[in-house]
Amino acid sequence: MALTPEFVGKQYPDTAPYLIGREKVREFATAIGEQSPVFHDLAEAVRMGYSDLPAPPTFAFVLTHKAMAAAMFDPDLGLDYSRVVHGEQAFEYRRPLVAGDEVVVTSHIADIHSRGANEFLVTQADVVSLDGELIVRTRGIIASRGTAA
């Protein structure tokens, strides 16, 4: 089943506010093998100029995954998840995420296009502070194998 191209631009509901905690930053850093003290030791983070523990750059995926899933699992989009492979992920930071930031994620479908027999779904998710500051923009591309018209 082909994707519905009219969905380009469709917005999805914002996520609930998420407070980034120090232990979550430390746990994520440990899980990805990041041993730098700046991600684990508050005194080192402050010495390096951060207001609190900075999150590793890919931590944004923790925040945006749920928002992007709303698009991928939208039943009206026509995406057969059994045919999906992850294609690409990009992060554009305005500033680092740090423990103590409280954020929401806004998301929409940025593009749908095909190449050969495959379709590509491009989602964009913005991590925004509660006062409206864009902190990081993510773009994800998934390929739907063999579904192009």
Side-chain angles (χ1 to χ4, degrees):
M1 181 168 152
L3 297 177
T4 306
E6 293 79 20
F7 273 50
V8 173
K10 181 174 180 178
Q11 300 271 355
Y12 288 87
D14 294 355
T15 62
Y18 182 95
L19 178 61
I20 299 172
R22 286 183 190 148
E23 288 311 310
K24 288 294 182 186
V25 169
R26 288 179 178 125
E27 289 169 357
F28 186 84
T30 298
I32 65 169
E34 180 55 74
Q35 298 176 4
S36 172
V38 75
F39 300 113
H40 298 275
D41 181 335
L42 180 59
E44 179 64 12
V46 170
R47 189 185 74 72
M48 297 291 294
Y50 296 99
S51 61
D52 211 304
L53 293 181
T58 54
F59 184 86
F61 189 76
V62 170
L63 306 172
T64 61
H65 182 264
K66 186 176 181 179
M68 293 186 301
M72 290 187 292
F73 295 111
D74 184 331
D76 297 325
L77 176 62
L79 181 65
D80 177 355
Y81 200 72
S82 71
R83 296 178 166 271
V84 165
V85 294
H86 187 267
E88 184 177 316
Q89 191 73 41
F91 303 89
E92 178 188 322
Y93 274 86
R94 304 293 167 91
R95 70 161 175 83
L97 288 163
V98 294
D101 280 337
E102 191 165 7
V103 297
V104 296
V105 178
T106 64
S107 62
H108 71 277
I109 294 177
D111 192 26
I112 296 172
H113 61 275
S114 61
R115 236 180 273 140
N118 302 318
E119 292 180 289
F120 297 87
L121 174 66
V122 182
T123 57
Q124 179 177 306
D126 292 341
V127 179
V128 181
S129 68
L130 294 185
D131 65 0
E133 174 195 11
L134 174 62
I135 300 172
V136 60
R137 172 166 287 155
T138 68
R139 289 178 69 84
I141 301 175
I142 61 170
S144 179
R145 298 166 295 142
T147 59

